[in-house]
Amino acid sequence: MTMFMDVHHGMAGITAEQLKAAHEADLAVQDREGVEFRQAWADPESGTVYCLSSAPSKEAVQRVHERTGHPADEVHPVPLQI
Amino acid sequence: MTMFMDVHHGMAGITAEQLKAAHEADLAVQDREGVEFRQAWADPESGTVYCLSSAPSKEAVQRVHERTGHPADEVHPVPLQI
């Protein structure tokens, strides 16, 4: 499993409730892709959301996000962490 | 204190040792700005590095990174987290 950071743009005005709902939707379907979403951070002002996950591939991360209606604009493997 | 996610581009080929050295350089000078770097992730292929910190301001985060020779390309407050 590799760690991935994915980024969503265009989410200006996102609320804590919306972030929670989106994250929970991902958690509800992630098992079928072998993905585990760990953390998420949002900047409502610039409309940027970052999600950290462990997953078998970039495509698996994207499939979860697509299934829950919020495809990521970027998905980067982040094999180095500190 | 607010949480911030900052992003560095153009770091293609970064190694685990280089990420560690950069992070430790930030830790060594962060106190004077009231910044606390928490985690960092790197994608050596696309050359992207993400750093998570808590800090009094975006400018304080950037001042630490500038002082240690690796200014961030983006610094976003991420007041929402899950």
Side-chain angles (χ1 to χ4, degrees), chain A residues 4-75:
Chain A
F4 291 87
M5 183 73 83
D6 67 76
V7 187
H8 305 251
H9 299 292
M11 306 292 285
I14 187 171
T15 64
E17 292 68 27
Q18 288 168 333
L19 180 66
K20 187 167 182 278
H23 185 64
E24 286 177 355
D26 289 335
L27 297 184
V29 304
Q30 67 183 6
D31 287 359
R32 71 184 82 169
E33 296 289 351
V35 175
E36 189 186 333
F37 280 96
R38 306 287 186 92
Q39 289 175 270
W41 301 268
D43 174 12
E45 203 174 312
S46 71
T48 314
V49 177
Y50 301 92
C51 302
L52 183 71
S53 61
S54 69
S57 69
K58 177 175 167 166
E59 291 72 22
V61 173
Q62 188 63 294
R63 278 194 297 269
V64 174
H65 277 331
E66 281 171 352
R67 201 159 283 152
T68 53
H70 45 256
D73 296 296
E74 306 168 40
V75 185

Side-chain angles (χ1 to χ4, degrees), chain A residues 3 5 7 9 14-16 19-21 23-24 38-46 48 50 52 74 76-82, chain B residues 3 5 7 9 14-16 19-21 23-24 38-46 48 50 52 74 76-82:
Chain A
M3 298 295 290
M5 183 73 83
V7 187
H9 299 292
I14 187 171
T15 64
L19 180 66
K20 187 167 182 278
H23 185 64
E24 286 177 355
R38 306 287 186 92
Q39 289 175 270
W41 301 268
D43 174 12
E45 203 174 312
S46 71
T48 314
Y50 301 92
L52 183 71
E74 306 168 40
H76 294 288
V78 283
L80 308 184
Q81 302 147 59
I82 199 160
Chain B
M3 298 295 290
M5 184 73 83
V7 187
H9 300 292
I14 187 170
T15 65
L19 180 66
K20 187 166 182 277
H23 184 64
E24 286 175 356
R38 307 285 186 92
Q39 288 175 271
W41 301 269
D43 174 12
E45 204 175 309
S46 70
T48 314
Y50 301 92
L52 183 70
E74 305 168 42
H76 294 288
V78 284
L80 307 183
Q81 302 148 59
I82 199 160

